[in-house]
Amino acid sequence: EWCKEITNEGIKNYIPTSLKSLILESNSKINKEVVKYLPQDLTELTIYRIKLENEDIQYLPSSLTMLELRYEDKLTNEMFKYLST
């Protein structure tokens, strides 16, 4: 069973800034705003069903060397321009 009680606020306030790898899957308490609260030194990130939009990509940590996006139906090729910002 997935961690269904994790929230955006929990990630914002309690996730270790030293964390290097993370897998996030949407639940009723996590949404696309969560990308604004990720540790800036994160190197690996997998996201499932968070309903990201192209503009949300700009908030991902620039330290990422691996990014896996699954079931993110709203993303288009336009998202790539946000990866370099």
Side-chain angles (χ1 to χ4, degrees):
E1 197 67 33
W2 293 98
C3 302
K4 294 183 179 183
E5 298 303 314
I6 294 176
T7 64
N8 286 356
E9 284 298 308
I11 289 175
K12 178 181 180 181
N13 295 319
Y14 302 110
I15 199 165
T17 57
S18 60
L19 191 70
K20 298 295 183 199
S21 182
L22 182 63
I23 298 172
L24 285 174
E25 182 167 355
S26 179
N27 64 35
S28 61
K29 299 175 183 182
I30 290 180
N31 61 41
K32 68 181 192 161
E33 295 297 313
V34 74
V35 297
K36 295 178 181 178
Y37 311 129
L38 297 174
Q40 289 305 300
D41 290 334
L42 203 62
T43 58
E44 297 182 3
L45 178 61
T46 300
I47 294 178
Y48 292 85
R49 298 179 182 96
I50 302 289
K51 298 182 182 172
L52 293 178
E53 296 181 25
N54 292 326
E55 298 78 21
D56 300 317
I57 299 300
Q58 67 186 315
Y59 299 109
L60 295 176
S62 60
S63 57
L64 289 176
T65 58
M66 192 283 297
L67 175 62
E68 184 175 346
L69 300 166
R70 293 186 170 216
Y71 310 107
E72 294 299 328
D73 300 338
K74 294 183 178 185
L75 292 177
T76 69
N77 286 335
E78 185 180 335
M79 70 168 253
F80 293 111
K81 77 178 183 181
Y82 294 102
L83 281 175
S84 60
T85 58

